[in-house]
Amino acid sequence: MTVNDDSFTNWKIREEIAESMIPLIGKLHRERDVTVLLHSRSLVNKSVVSILKTHRFARQIAGEELSVTETLPFLQALTALDLGPSQIDIGMLAATYKSDDRGLSVEAFTAEAVAGATGANKIEGGEGRDVVLYGFGRIGRLVARLLIEKSGSGNGLRLRAIVVRGGGDQDIVKRASLLRRDSIHGQFQGTITVDEANSTINANGNAIKVIYANDPSEVDYTAYGIKNAILIDNTGKWRDREGLSKHLRPGIDKVVLTAPGKGDVPNIVHGVNHDTVKPDEQILSCASCTTNAIVPPLKAMDDEYGVMRGHVETVHSFTNDQNLLDNYHKSERRGRSAPLNMVITETGAASAVAKALPDLKARITGSSIRVPVPDVSIAILNLQLARETDRQEVLDYLRDVSLTSPLRRQIDFITAPDAVSSDFIGSRHASIVDAGALKVEGDNAILYLWYDNEFGYSCQVIRVVQHVSGVEYPTFPAPAV
C-alpha cells in the first residue's frame, strides 16, 4: 500500500467518525439545549467535512491538529450525563485531559469538568424569550439567521416578529428572498416559506410575523401574542435614551441598539463589560463593529502589559450609508462612489473605548478609511505599553487568550501566512489576531485585527441579547481567569 493509499484510508476513517458525531451533537442540542463547541466554534448543524476542517484548524492556534478520534470519546461521555442547557467545548476537554496527570477515565474527567451543568447544578430550560427585530437591513437579516439557527430546543430566544415600513407589492416576498440569499454570506441554511395572507415568514419552523409600521408608537405587540420581549433596533434612527424609549410599548421589556449609543445609554461589548448591565436596565447599545473588534484585544493587552496610549486605524469595508456613484450625501466624503474609491472618514470607536473600558487610563485616538470591499475590515492597533516585551511573548500570550481565557469567544488567532480579508467572511469572533503581521519592538506593539464587520458583530449582538434575556448558558470547561 502506498503513502497516498494510507492517507486516503485514514481520511475515510475520520469521515466515518465525524459522521457518527453528527447525531450525538444534534440530539444534545435539540433535547437538552447543549451546544457542542470545538475551540469556541459551534459544531451544531455542521457537515462531516466542516467538522473535520474545524478539527484541523486547531493546528493553527494550538500548534497541532486535533483528531476526531481524540474528541469523540468526550462527546460520547457527554451523552451519558444528565446535562442542562450549556455550551461544552470538546476541544478544551481533550486539551485539559492531556495535561491532567490523575489517571482519570475520560468518563470521570468529563463528568467532573461539566459538573456545573449536571444534577442539582443544571439550569432548567424555560419557555424562551420573545425577540422582535425593528428594521431588516444587513445586520437585521444576519441577526435573524442567528436567532433561527439558535432556536434549538425552543427554550432560548424566539424571533417572533420583524417591524418594517411597507414597501409595496410583494414586500414580504422580497424581504424573505433577501433572508434566503445573500451575496456575501451565502444561502440560508434551511427552508423559508411565505404566508402573504397572514403576513408571516416561516423559517425552519419559526413563524415570524412581519409588522408594517412607520413609527414605534403605531405598534401594540401584545396584539400579536408577544410579551416580555427584547426588541433589537437595527435601524440606527434613534441612538439616545429618549428616542429608543419609544420602543417600550406593550409587549416590549428591553431595547438593544445595534449602533453606538449616545448620552447615558450603556455601550456593551460582550466579553468585556456585559456583566455591568443592571437587571433593571431597559435600554442599551452593542456599540459599533469596530469597538467590538478593538476593545477585547485592548483589554487583553492592558491586563498583561499595561497600555499607556494607543491609536487605531481601521481599514473598513464600504457600507450602505455610502453612495454607489458620486451623489449628494450629508457627509463630506461619503457622497463619493464607495466601490471606486478609498474614502477617509471618521470613526467613533476610539472614543467609545472609554464607555466599555472605564478603567483604562490610556488615551486612544482613531481614524478610518472606507475601501472597496463589501465585507470584512481590519483594525491596526498601535500601542505604547507600560513595559518592554518581544514579539514571541506577545504571540504566545494572545494565542493563549484566544484558546483559554474568558475572551476566547471574542478573540481568534490565525497563523496562515497568506490570509486575506475574504478568508474571514462568516467569522463569529469579534476580532482575529493576524500572527504574521504582529510587530513588537520594546514597549511598542502593533496588532493587526481582522473582523467581519457584519457577521462577527451580529454574533456579539446575539451574545448581549442572550445575556440580558437570561438564556446565556455557561461554558465548560470554565475558561481560565
Side-chain angles (χ1 to χ4, degrees), residues 66-83:
L66 187 62
S67 172
V68 286
T69 60
E70 296 176 77
T71 57
L72 177 61
F74 295 96
L75 182 58
Q76 291 170 328
L78 291 173
T79 63
L81 297 173
D82 180 26
L83 288 168

Side-chain angles (χ1 to χ4, degrees), residues 236-255:
K237 184 175 180 180
W238 304 278
R239 295 194 179 189
D240 59 12
R241 187 172 295 276
E242 180 182 1
L244 293 168
S245 294
K246 296 179 180 180
H247 290 303
L248 294 173
R249 303 281 299 154
I252 302 299
D253 180 57
K254 294 181 185 294
V255 179

Side-chain angles (χ1 to χ4, degrees), residues 3 6 42 73 75 137 152 168 184 215 306 309 344:
V3 172
D6 284 342
S42 174
L75 182 58
I184 296 168
D215 188 81
R309 70 173 308 277
I344 298 173

Side-chain angles (χ1 to χ4, degrees), residues 44-299:
V44 176
N45 292 328
K46 294 297 187 289
S47 67
V48 167
V49 172
S50 293
I51 290 172
L52 292 173
K53 284 181 69 176
T54 305
H55 277 74
R56 181 165 177 76
F57 185 80
R59 183 182 63 169
Q60 292 197 31
I61 49 180
E64 58 182 17
E65 186 172 343
L66 187 62
S67 172
V68 286
T69 60
E70 296 176 77
T71 57
L72 177 61
F74 295 96
L75 182 58
Q76 291 170 328
L78 291 173
T79 63
L81 297 173
D82 180 26
L83 288 168
S86 56
Q87 299 187 105
I88 299 178
D89 195 318
I90 57 174
M92 286 300 298
L93 280 173
T96 52
Y97 182 68
K98 277 184 180 180
S99 60
D100 189 271
D101 58 3
R102 293 175 294 164
L104 296 176
S105 66
V106 166
E107 292 77 14
F109 181 85
T110 302
E112 179 184 90
V114 303
T118 60
N121 296 320
K122 73 177 183 180
I123 300 170
E124 294 298 336
E127 293 183 356
R129 189 71 174 269
D130 291 351
V131 178
V132 172
L133 290 178
Y134 198 95
F136 204 47
R138 297 296 301 153
I139 300 302
R141 292 194 295 274
L142 291 177
V143 168
R145 285 188 174 200
L146 286 164
L147 287 167
I148 295 162
E149 172 196 299
K150 294 177 181 297
S151 57
S153 65
N155 291 329
L157 302 174
R158 301 179 303 182
L159 177 56
R160 297 291 308 281
I162 297 162
V163 184
V164 292
R165 291 194 295 268
D169 292 343
Q170 291 197 307
D171 179 275
I172 190 171
V173 173
K174 292 174 182 177
R175 293 186 190 277
S177 183
L178 284 170
L179 178 62
R180 185 181 290 116
R181 302 178 188 88
D182 190 281
S183 301
I184 296 168
H185 300 283
Q187 297 269 353
F188 173 80
Q189 296 301 304
T191 62
I192 294 175
T193 57
V194 175
D195 182 349
E196 287 189 84
N198 293 303
S199 192
T200 301
I201 296 172
N202 192 298
N204 290 357
N206 295 268
I208 306 162
K209 187 73 174 179
V210 178
I211 301 169
Y212 293 99
N214 294 314
D215 188 81
S217 63
E218 299 177 9
V219 189
D220 178 352
Y221 295 94
T222 59
Y224 303 95
I226 296 169
K227 59 182 180 179
N228 196 34
I230 297 174
L231 182 144
I232 304 173
D233 183 331
N234 57 91
T235 67
K237 184 175 180 180
W238 304 278
R239 295 194 179 189
D240 59 12
R241 187 172 295 276
E242 180 182 1
L244 293 168
S245 294
K246 296 179 180 180
H247 290 303
L248 294 173
R249 303 281 299 154
I252 302 299
D253 180 57
K254 294 181 185 294
V255 179
V256 175
L257 171 66
T258 64
K262 295 182 178 180
D264 67 343
V265 174
N267 280 253
I268 304 302
V269 175
H270 191 275
V272 175
N273 68 336
H274 65 278
D275 288 336
T276 65
V277 179
K278 298 175 181 177
D280 60 349
E281 178 60 74
Q282 289 189 287
I283 295 173
L284 53 93
S285 154
C286 291
S288 70
C289 57
T290 301
T291 303
N292 276 265
I294 65 173
V295 166
L298 186 56
K299 179 184 183 331

